[in-house]
Amino acid sequence: TDEYRPPVWKSYLYQLQQEAPHPRRVTCTSEVENRPKYYGREFHGMISREEADQLLSVAEGSYLIRESQRQPGTYTLALRFGSQTRNFRLYYDGKHFVGEKRFESIHDLVTDGLITLYIETKAAEYIAKMTINPIYEHIGYTTLNREPAYQKHMPVLKETHDERDSTGQDGVSEKRVHTFRGPHWCEYCANFMWGLIAQGVKCADCGLNVHKQCSKMVPNDCKPDLKHVKKVYSCDLTTLVKAHITKRPMVVDMCIKEIESRGLNSEGLYRVSGFSDLIEDVKMAFDRDGEKADISVNMYEDINIITGALKLYFRDLPIPLITYDAYPKFIESAKIMDPDEQLETLHEALKLLPPAHCETLRYLMAHLKRVTLHEKENLMNAENLGIVFGPTLMRSPELDAMAALNDIRYQRLVVELLIKNEDILF
């Protein structure tokens, strides 16, 4: 029973989100007087419900905005869903909203609304039962609730984190509504977290990502516990370092130490691949033995096996070292031509990383800088290392394959810039 089995993420709700109707803006062909400046051509002025109904009958997902005839100065979003028109009172306070979620654009609001309506219509019963068979117990988070009562009164050793890592009072974890970039799955029930923004909540203390309704089932004093963190690879980076009370994942420290002790002059370091079966061996050793894993020259003579194991660790992270949330800012920095402005933006991007991610990135970049100092022997400069590590440390939150492909050259450049400027940036 103690053997770790990775969770099976459930794809049903993800498939439903993919099937949801897309927004289709019904534009007004004539010029409308008194159109609020924050609405576009989807605003049709003071038309009746019947007229709106007629205009929207073209297709599912069609939408327009009209001014209320009964209450001038108030606005309604009319949306075609399930072969009927749904009407929502629409508000604007710098952002658009009909409920508690706030959106930059009407298009985003409608996209999110259609996903929510579609999933909640198709899967109401499924959603109601989501919390029944949680995977929460098995994935590396645990709770003090199940510990013997006497342990409650023992002092809890806490690391000091910087300001970016906030905890609620008295060891109660703070769970905040969070917008996840890229697809995310709930770590309580293993189901997809649907919607465009504010898809769920994130625990500020241990990084647990859950649906809002699942968060009610999670204890407030969640702390990653070593007994439950049954693996090292594929485990959330923040969870791992909190469970082991370390600054960085031990894989990173141990591999880098080994590489620097005997591999810095090795030609094609990080570019040359090691034998994949032996890399898998190293991974299993870390998962099984943690910091007691033996990765010495006696076990693995070829240094490329150790570099391969380190790269695999970063590729296997559920949330990349450069997180989905920070990704757009890093890519933006790579596109800037002015060197000073570029470094300034990179610095801003680094501030968006969680503390454990930022510290690990700092340590890795300092190491890669040392690798470049041996370029005469190993033939690896910052540009070559950027080519290797760009896609390893960064993954596009975009599901669109073309957009992700276009980013690859910028990913390389980001890593190259981080290596060259690590002394200034960190």
Side-chain angles (χ1 to χ4, degrees):
T1 54
D2 236 26
E3 189 192 335
Y4 174 80
R5 284 191 303 281
V8 177
W9 302 114
K10 300 169 188 172
S11 60
Y12 175 55
L13 297 178
Y14 177 67
Q15 285 159 357
L16 284 187
Q17 172 159 313
Q18 301 300 91
E19 290 167 18
H22 293 289
R24 295 171 67 126
R25 184 167 80 141
V26 176
T27 53
C28 185
T29 48
S30 54
E31 206 45 61
V32 184
E33 279 183 31
N34 306 327
R35 181 176 75 194
K37 61 179 184 301
Y38 41 83
Y39 296 140
R41 298 297 297 272
E42 69 278 356
F43 182 72
H44 287 249
M46 212 178 271
I47 60 169
S48 67
R49 278 180 170 234
E50 292 70 33
E51 287 174 278
D53 211 20
Q54 194 63 46
L55 288 165
L56 295 174
S57 61
V58 288
E60 281 283 280
S62 301
Y63 71 94
L64 58 82
I65 296 168
R66 59 185 179 81
E67 188 172 359
S68 168
Q69 292 180 323
R70 283 197 296 255
Q71 292 173 283
T74 64
Y75 304 100
T76 298
L77 171 68
L79 173 65
R80 188 75 172 179
F81 179 80
S83 304
Q84 55 187 13
T85 301
R86 311 276 185 114
N87 293 287
F88 302 91
R89 173 69 70 84
L90 189 57
Y91 301 92
Y92 181 79
D93 63 357
K95 290 193 175 181
H96 303 279
F97 61 101
V98 296
E100 47 185 52
K101 290 188 181 186
R102 282 164 162 69
F103 298 86
E104 297 291 345
S105 70
I106 293 291
H107 184 273
D108 284 358
L109 184 152
V110 175
T111 304
D112 186 83
L114 287 166
I115 290 168
T116 305
L117 283 167
Y118 189 76
I119 286 180
E120 290 178 0
T121 306
K122 288 264 187 186
E125 211 175 310
Y126 183 90
I127 290 168
K129 293 180 178 167
M130 273 193 326
T131 55
I132 292 171
N133 284 322
I135 58 156
Y136 175 74
E137 291 297 300
H138 313 294
I139 65 155
Y141 299 93
T142 186
T143 156
L144 304 178
N145 286 0
R146 288 176 182 67
E147 299 293 324
Y150 69 84
Q151 291 200 0
K152 289 277 173 74
H153 307 293
M154 292 173 66
V156 178
L157 289 173
K158 275 193 76 70
E159 285 180 271
T160 52
H161 297 290
D162 66 20
E163 315 77 61
R164 281 173 289 169
D165 200 8
S166 61
T167 311
Q169 296 306 303
D170 304 320
V172 172
S173 305
E174 192 184 340
K175 296 183 180 67
R176 298 186 191 144
V177 172
H178 189 76
T179 292
F180 297 96
R181 312 271 172 224
H184 271 69
W185 274 257
C186 172
E187 292 173 297
Y188 183 83
C189 73
N191 280 292
F192 179 64
M193 294 161 82
W194 68 90
L196 205 60
I197 66 160
Q199 302 95 328
V201 298
K202 189 182 191 72
C203 173
D205 196 38
C206 73
L208 183 76
N209 303 323
V210 288
H211 290 113
K212 209 169 178 182
Q213 66 261 48
C214 292
S215 70
K216 299 179 180 71
M217 316 293 287
V218 177
N220 280 331
D221 49 8
C222 63
K223 271 279 185 293
D225 181 325
L226 218 44
K227 290 200 302 295
H228 288 259
V229 179
K230 297 269 174 57
K231 51 171 184 167
V232 171
Y233 278 66
S234 314
C235 177
D236 175 69
L237 191 143
T238 301
T239 303
L240 188 71
V241 300
K242 287 200 171 188
H244 289 268
I245 315 174
T246 55
K247 275 175 134 183
R248 297 173 297 273
M250 86 287 267
V251 179
V252 176
D253 281 20
M254 287 172 65
C255 288
I256 286 177
K257 192 175 167 197
E258 194 62 33
I259 292 158
E260 295 202 350
S261 72
R262 61 185 172 102
L264 288 176
N265 292 334
S266 175
E267 191 175 316
L269 190 67
Y270 286 111
R271 188 177 49 76
V272 175
S273 299
F275 187 47
S276 61
D277 285 7
L278 290 175
I279 292 171
E280 201 60 34
D281 249 16
V282 175
K283 171 183 169 171
M284 280 162 63
F286 275 117
D287 280 346
R288 190 182 57 240
D289 307 325
E291 63 267 19
K292 294 190 177 69
D294 182 2
I295 58 168
S296 67
V297 69
N298 307 331
M299 283 298 286
Y300 304 102
E301 199 181 333
D302 180 6
I303 198 65
N304 299 316
I305 292 159
I306 310 302
T307 58
L310 181 59
K311 289 186 292 184
L312 181 64
Y313 171 74
F314 288 119
R315 279 202 304 276
D316 275 0
L317 284 174
I319 296 168
L321 186 60
I322 289 174
T323 59
Y324 292 122
D325 288 348
Y327 183 94
K329 196 76 176 166
F330 277 95
I331 293 293
E332 182 194 323
S333 72
K335 295 177 178 177
I336 294 169
M337 302 314 283
D338 177 66
D340 292 340
E341 195 189 330
Q342 188 170 54
L343 282 181
E344 191 52 49
T345 309
L346 254 184
H347 204 257
E348 290 301 310
L350 287 167
K351 289 181 189 167
L352 300 174
L353 294 175
H357 284 249
C358 195
E359 168 54 28
T360 305
L361 185 64
R362 179 198 69 76
Y363 190 75
L364 176 65
M365 291 304 124
H367 160 65
L368 295 180
K369 181 69 162 272
R370 289 191 288 277
V371 170
T372 65
L373 299 179
H374 294 254
E375 189 197 339
K376 272 200 175 73
E377 294 79 29
N378 63 34
L379 310 180
M380 295 302 284
N381 57 21
E383 189 183 347
N384 294 339
L385 290 167
I387 291 167
V388 173
F389 276 96
T392 304
L393 305 182
M394 301 177 78
R395 293 201 291 277
S396 170
E398 291 292 328
L399 288 171
D400 175 18
M402 277 316 293
L405 270 175
N406 288 335
D407 280 357
I408 287 178
R409 59 193 171 125
Y410 297 116
Q411 292 173 356
R412 293 170 176 176
L413 194 54
V414 165
V415 176
E416 185 183 335
L417 289 164
L418 288 170
I419 295 170
K420 285 179 173 169
N421 301 287
E422 64 78 33
D423 50 340
I424 305 164
L425 288 166
F426 293 99

